[in-house]
Structure formats: structure tokens, C-alpha cells
Amino acid sequence: MKKLLYNILWILCIQVLLFACKEDDAELGSVPTETDAAFTYAPTAAKPNILDFTASSAAFLKKWDFGNGKTAEGDNVQGVFPEKGSYVVTLTVYTSGGSVSSSQTVEIAETDPTLLDLPIYNMLTGGNSDLDGKTWVVDSKTAGHFGLGPVEGTGPDWYKAGANEKDGAGLYDDKYTFKLAGFSYTQQTNGDVFINTQQASNFPGAQPSSGDYKAPYTPPANLTWSITETGGKQYLKISSGGFIGYYTGVNTYEIVTIEENQLFLRYTDAANAAFAWYLRLVPDGYTEPTEPPPYKIEDIYQNFDGSSNFNFVNDSQGSMATYDNPAPVPINTSAKVGKYTKANGQAGEYANVQIPLSYKMDIRNRHVFKLKVFIPSYNDYTTTGGESWQSYNTLQKQVSVKLQNSELGGNAYTTQAEVIQKNLVTDKWLELTFDFSAFSTREDFDKVIVQIGGEAIFTGGIFFIDDFELLPE
């Protein structure tokens, strides 16, 4: 009896399960066909490379693959195709009965550079946000902006131009503008270009300049640019008749470096296969940012016997040279001293020697300079000459130490600090100090100047100094 009841219950359970399965099958929709994944597309009015896609089926989910690495979801979507080519667009729809896909091939007739969002294009042209393009110029102010090396090398190992070395050669006033729209390139030469000597015969009117030739040249209109990649390297090509910078007979340039504010190119020489030329460009109007010099103080000393941490820099017909001590007696028995010469005549009226520093001087605690000086009596301290407005105009028996801010250039004297020791005794060594404590809060000094014999005085003279130093605290 129990076994019979068990069998009956088992049969009932099976019937219930079969009924449930039939109910589920009744709720599933029909399997979708390719017709459910049909779609249409059309170019937008503004851009033929931007297409509107539409799918009208009742599927609850529609996923698009545009064949260009981009995807989307929805009934009405938009695909962007910047570059010319064929793209297989696939729509996959999902219904209660399953999923199905359909594909169509979309043909894009021309590349639209304004739709490109490639880093290298954006850096070269300024991108879509800069409709006027980006203008580059040769980085003339930086040493190494132009150079030459072996074609098998990787840099300008043979020659590097100094800052502004090719000034006046027709190179530094040229401008090169790259636009995304139409891949347009404009070469502004201002009438002349700098060319390789071997190219001079191709440019009527070429004249020698800066070791090569400067030639009249007006480039053609409607120039274009393109970028290709070969062997893992990217190349910038200018259409026929155009070029960049120093012309060597070629118009294709390897892009060594491209950044927002630097374009470094390498290119060959049509007349010499062993040569590789290098050119560095920056955006027109760009100024290289500089780190502000540190604010600190270091030892400053020179005794002319080999123990020193600087050499004086001659300026305005003032000079310093190591020389035998003219009077090796106390207080200075050194074998060698510094011979300071102030040139005679108007050229020497502002004679001095200088110590340029790579930092701004912190003179809050160290602000006293010391030196030894010998004022020869044989100098001419009586002949007048110099600016008429001077209250004195004869050579002076004095030493001046000045601190200046070199950033002011020729106007540095307008904010200088100066300490003068006047009316000094002749024909003996004197030890002098120059205390700048009154200027200890200044933070702009980066140059020390020593001037002997006075300023705005035409009479020259010879003096001797030794053991110049900034004293410790």
C-alpha cells in the first residue's frame, strides 16, 4: 500500500514539473531573425564622416559596434569616422526569444582631420580647438637648435649651433603653420630661406651667408602635411615645394621628439648621404620657463695662488690677470696676486671685473667682503678727463665693491648696493673690508663687482689685489 502511494505521488510531481516547463515555454517569445536587427544610416548635414544610425525593431536592447573601436547602445546613435576607409558596422539586438546580429559595410570617402583626436596631430596643429592651426619657429635662443651628425648616429655629434649663431641667414624669421583642416601647411619665409651650399644652384639669387647660402624664396600656396609610420618611427612630410628650416633638398623629416612646446626633427641631405641634420622648433612666441635661482650663500674666495672657487670676468675694458707680487712684504707675502688693469681713454671709463653667481645671495648673516689692495704711486692721478658732470674726474685711489641684480641687464646699476674705500695710501698693501649689512634684507643680488680707480673717468691705471673673500659669520 505504501509503495503504491509513493508511486502515485511520484507521477503527480512529474506531471507538475512538465506543466511548469510548458508554461515557461509559452512565456518565451519567438526567436529573433536578422530582420529584427535591420538598421539604416545617413550622414549628418554638417559632417559626412559623422553618421546617424537608426534601428526600429521592438528589441529591448540594441548594441552597436562601429568597426572603428567605438561602440554604443540605443535606438538612435551616432558614429564618428575621422579617416577614409571601409568599416563593418554591426548591430546586435536582444529580445525575449534570444539575440541576433546584422552587419553593413560603411564607406568613408575622405579623411576629415578635424575629427581626429590623435595626440601627435594635436601637438603639431593645436587640435580641433585651434582652427588657425599652430605656428612653429626655430628655437634660435637655445644652443643646439640646429646641428649635424652621421646618418648612422642618433644625434648632432659633429656640430651644434650656438644660440642665435645663424642670425641674419634667413632661418630665424621663418614660420611654419600646421592646421588640421585639410592638413594645411603654410611656410612663411619673409622673402628668403637658409639653404645648404649644394642647393644654391636651385635658388636663383642665392648668396653666401653663415657658412652656407641665403636665397630668395616664396613657397607655393596650398601646401599640405602628412604623418606616416615606418619601422616604428614617425615621419612628417611636406608636399612638393615646401620644407622646414634649413633646406638640404628633402621634405621628409623624422620626428625625434614632439611635445606641446617642442618639435625636434632629424632629416637627411640630398647631396650627402652620410649627413643627418637636426632642427629644434618651438611654438611661435613661446618662452622657455626657467627655474628661479636658489636663495642661498656660498663661500667666495680668490687668492691667485691656485686656491679659489671663481675667476673674475673682465668687463668694460677692465681686466684681471695673475701676476707676480710687486711688493712681497707684510701684510702680503704671496708670490702671486691679481693685476687689475683699467684701460685708458673713454673705452675704460666704466672698467670693472665681475663675479657672476648662479644663485641669489643670502647676505643676512654673511655680508662682509675682504680684500688686500696695492695702489701704485706711478699711476697718473692728476690728469683730468671724463664726464663734465663729475665732481672729480681724475683717476681715484679707491676700491669699490658692488652687488647687483643681473636680471636688470644694462640697468643693474640702478638698484645696486655699493661700498667704497676712498683716499687710499699708495705703494703698500692695505687690507680693506666692505660691509653690506645695510643691504642684508635684499634678496635680488646675484653678481659681485670690483672696480678700482673710480667710474666715469678716462684715465687708465694698474692696481693689484689679493685674498678676495666673503667672510664667514
Side-chain angles (χ1 to χ4, degrees), residues 113-114 116-136 176-181 184 225 227 258-261 263 283:
T114 64
L116 293 169
D117 189 21
L118 302 176
I120 191 170
Y121 284 12
N122 293 340
M123 285 185 285
L124 180 66
T125 68
N128 289 323
S129 61
D130 196 341
L131 298 179
D132 294 329
K134 189 172 182 178
T135 300
W136 298 82
Y176 317 96
T177 301
F178 297 83
K179 295 181 182 180
L180 266 181
S184 169
W225 62 271
I227 291 179
I258 185 166
E259 300 171 349
E260 182 180 355
N261 294 311
L263 177 60

Side-chain angles (χ1 to χ4, degrees), residues 5-64:
L5 290 173
Y6 177 80
N7 289 335
I8 292 172
L9 289 172
W10 177 250
I11 292 170
L12 288 174
C13 287
I14 292 175
Q15 289 178 337
V16 169
L17 289 172
L18 288 173
F19 179 78
C21 290
K22 289 179 180 180
E23 285 294 309
D24 287 343
D25 289 341
E27 291 177 3
L28 291 174
S30 58
V31 175
T33 66
E34 198 168 311
T35 303
D36 295 302
F39 64 88
T40 61
Y41 65 89
T44 60
K47 297 275 187 183
N49 291 42
I50 300 178
L51 306 182
D52 288 326
F53 292 86
T54 301
S56 56
S57 75
F60 66 84
L61 178 61
K62 301 179 179 72
K63 290 189 174 183
W64 302 82

Side-chain angles (χ1 to χ4, degrees), residues 216-402:
Y217 187 67
T218 301
N222 303 317
L223 291 170
T224 60
W225 62 271
S226 60
I227 291 179
T228 58
E229 185 169 329
T230 303
K233 297 179 179 179
Q234 293 175 312
Y235 294 87
L236 172 62
K237 183 174 183 178
I238 306 302
S239 59
S240 179
F243 52 91
I244 303 173
Y246 175 71
Y247 184 60
T248 64
V250 303
N251 61 353
T252 299
Y253 307 83
E254 179 188 339
I255 300 175
V256 179
T257 302
I258 185 166
E259 300 171 349
E260 182 180 355
N261 294 311
Q262 178 186 188
L263 177 60
F264 191 47
L265 303 175
R266 179 184 189 271
Y267 54 107
T268 56
D269 191 318
N272 194 324
F275 288 176
W277 295 93
Y278 294 83
L279 190 68
R280 183 177 188 265
L281 300 103
V282 294
D284 186 22
Y286 174 73
T287 301
E288 190 81 33
T290 57
E291 290 290 329
Y295 177 57
K296 62 179 182 178
I297 197 64
E298 294 181 351
D299 292 338
I300 300 174
Y301 57 92
Q302 169 65 272
N303 68 9
F304 303 98
D305 279 326
S307 177
S308 66
N309 67 349
F310 74 90
N311 290 313
F312 283 104
V313 175
N314 302 334
D315 186 73
S316 301
Q317 296 295 304
S319 64
M320 184 76 73
T322 301
Y323 198 77
D324 292 337
N325 189 341
V329 295
I331 57 173
N332 187 14
T333 58
S334 299
K336 297 293 183 180
V337 298
K339 179 185 178 182
Y340 176 97
T341 302
K342 178 185 185 304
N344 197 45
Q346 187 174 3
E349 65 175 321
Y350 297 105
N352 67 87
V353 292
Q354 304 182 353
I355 310 168
L357 302 172
S358 61
Y359 55 88
K360 294 295 185 180
M361 300 175 68
D362 178 0
I363 57 173
R364 289 173 297 179
N365 299 314
R366 296 182 66 184
H367 42 249
V368 179
F369 288 90
K370 182 180 74 172
L371 62 80
K372 295 171 184 175
V373 66
F374 186 92
I375 309 289
S377 60
Y378 54 71
N379 287 324
D380 181 358
Y381 300 104
T382 59
T383 300
T384 61
E387 301 289 352
S388 60
W389 48 264
Q390 291 290 328
S391 59
Y392 54 83
N393 49 18
T394 58
L395 186 65
Q396 299 298 299
K397 303 168 187 176
Q398 71 176 44
V399 179
S400 168
V401 176
K402 307 175 185 181

